[in-house]
Amino acid sequence: MELLHQPGDIIAERYQIIDTLGQGGIGITYEAQDLHHCQRVAIKALSLRRMNDWKVLELFEREAKVLSQLNHPGIPRYLDYFQVDAPFDRQFYLVQELASGRSLSSLVENNWHPDELEVRRLAEQILEILMYLHQLTPPVIHRDIQPRNLIRQENEQIFLVDFGAVYESDRSTFSAGSTVVGTYGYMAPEQFRGQAAPATDLYGLGATLLFLLTHKSPADFPQRRLKIDFRSQVHTSAEFTDWLETMLSPAPEDRFPSAKAALAALRGEVQTLVHHRRQPAGSRIALKKTFGQLLIDIPPVGFRFDNLFWLGFALLWSGFLFFWTAGAILVGAQLFLLLFSIPFWIAALILISTLLFSVAGRTRVLIDRQSFRLQWQLFGFCHQVQGRTEDIEAVQLASSNYEINNQHVMVCTLVEGLRSHRFGSWLTLAEKEWLVAEISTFLGKNID
């Protein structure tokens, strides 16, 4: 883009151009001296003659309008907005305080390698700015959170600049726009559809932090199931890596629900996220979901009419088998007759153990981003299976191997390749459906 001004030019008999700070699709930004107040300012200039789309002017005017209403120490203060008529042209100017310092992109270009603690401190400052913007009425969505638009002073204070893509949403959910704006690699997937919400800025922040940790554009990373696959290339704590992965979730509903929630999780001040579905009334299952872990604790069902009935039936049946087998042995029955009773004994033992577990057994399911573990406990005995989370192919309700009233009992099932891990057979159908839905949401799987 051709420059409108050169160093030394004076605009509106007040602002003297010192240097060019940057160029973008919505204007050219200069560093200038305010001759009236003897202070350095940033001036963004737009030429009507050089525009090829009226949408650019609309965005420029929106930026000026929004900035005039903002008041936050992390956002350079709005000072002025005016226009100057020239032969065959009209030029628009937006004046702000100058954010002294260097952009994060410039720092990285000069081989700055922040450690995890520094990146966390940066993230906290930026999230506090986003909290302010998103809690306004209507919420203000920046839509271009990226390293070039974040200025860091020597005292480590962060400024968010360039509101050229800013959007005022009249609701906290998604709003559709007619223009795709943002910076490739830092744009959330929904931005390609012209949509934006507060979670859109969280994705941009996550991508920015990834750039700081790796010195690579997020667009250069491989993807797995639409997620940026970065874990092998960062050397951060598991907790922070999980947090960053949540920020970079391709589906906005899988990111943190707000900048406030993201900040609380980053500081370790929050333990449980809001569930997507309501737990069935009366259920005693304890489900705790954080940004990187899902823990399910299924307590014993206890004595209920249905399991007492079947336990009584199983005991009577076992008693019958005992006397029948003992009688056969006493009268000297042939071996094949005794062998004939073995399948009935096995069935009775399976039924009794299943019923006992429903009365006194406890099931725990623990899933994080790397691994999963299922644990069954009964009378001090414990059995568990474990595997890799990425190997879970589906979460479903499946038929068990036994029936009640001529109907197969449905169980919650994790499908891991050739193995299927089943649990919760004696829960109510509503509880099973709820658990399958919660696990599926956490893993980003379809419910079969």
Side-chain angles (χ1 to χ4, degrees), residues 176-224:
S178 58
T179 303
V180 175
V181 294
T183 302
Y184 184 68
Y186 300 90
M187 295 171 59
E190 64 269 14
Q191 286 182 268
F192 292 98
R193 303 188 295 272
Q195 297 178 337
T200 302
D201 285 343
L202 298 185
Y203 186 96
L205 173 56
T208 296
L209 300 179
L210 181 60
F211 170 74
L212 297 181
L213 291 167
T214 63
H215 286 204
K216 288 178 58 176
S217 167
D220 295 335
F221 285 84
Q223 292 190 355
R224 299 186 63 183

Side-chain angles (χ1 to χ4, degrees), residues 21 29 40-43 63-64 66-80 94-101 129 132-133 142 149-151 153 157-163:
L21 295 176
T29 304
R40 295 291 177 91
V41 297
I43 298 181
E63 178 179 9
V66 169
L67 284 173
S68 68
Q69 301 169 352
L70 301 182
N71 181 21
H72 189 279
I75 301 172
R77 187 164 56 92
Y78 167 91
L79 296 174
D80 198 5
L94 169 61
V95 186
Q96 287 181 269
E97 285 183 334
L98 180 66
S100 60
I129 299 173
Y132 166 74
L133 294 174
H142 188 276
N149 291 336
L150 292 161
I151 308 299
Q153 291 186 326
Q157 182 178 355
I158 292 292
F159 289 95
L160 177 60
V161 301
D162 196 351
F163 281 66

Side-chain angles (χ1 to χ4, degrees), residues 264-335:
L266 180 62
R267 291 173 171 170
E269 297 172 353
V270 65
Q271 293 297 322
T272 306
L273 297 180
V274 177
H275 302 324
H276 291 276
R277 295 161 185 84
R278 179 177 296 178
Q279 185 170 357
S283 174
R284 297 169 54 230
I285 298 172
L287 186 147
K288 182 181 293 184
K289 184 190 300 183
T290 68
F291 56 86
Q293 187 181 85
L294 178 66
L295 175 62
I296 300 169
D297 187 357
I298 305 175
V301 172
F303 292 101
R304 298 187 319 202
F305 174 77
D306 53 355
N307 56 26
L308 282 177
F309 171 80
W310 287 105
L311 183 58
F313 172 79
L315 292 174
L316 288 174
W317 176 246
S318 300
F320 168 77
L321 286 176
F322 173 79
F323 286 109
W324 184 86
T325 306
I329 294 174
L330 290 174
V331 299
Q334 295 182 358
L335 181 62

Side-chain angles (χ1 to χ4, degrees), residues 69 132-140 168-170:
Q69 301 169 352
Y132 166 74
L133 294 174
H134 296 167
Q135 290 174 358
L136 294 173
T137 305
V140 172
E168 286 186 294
S169 174
D170 58 358

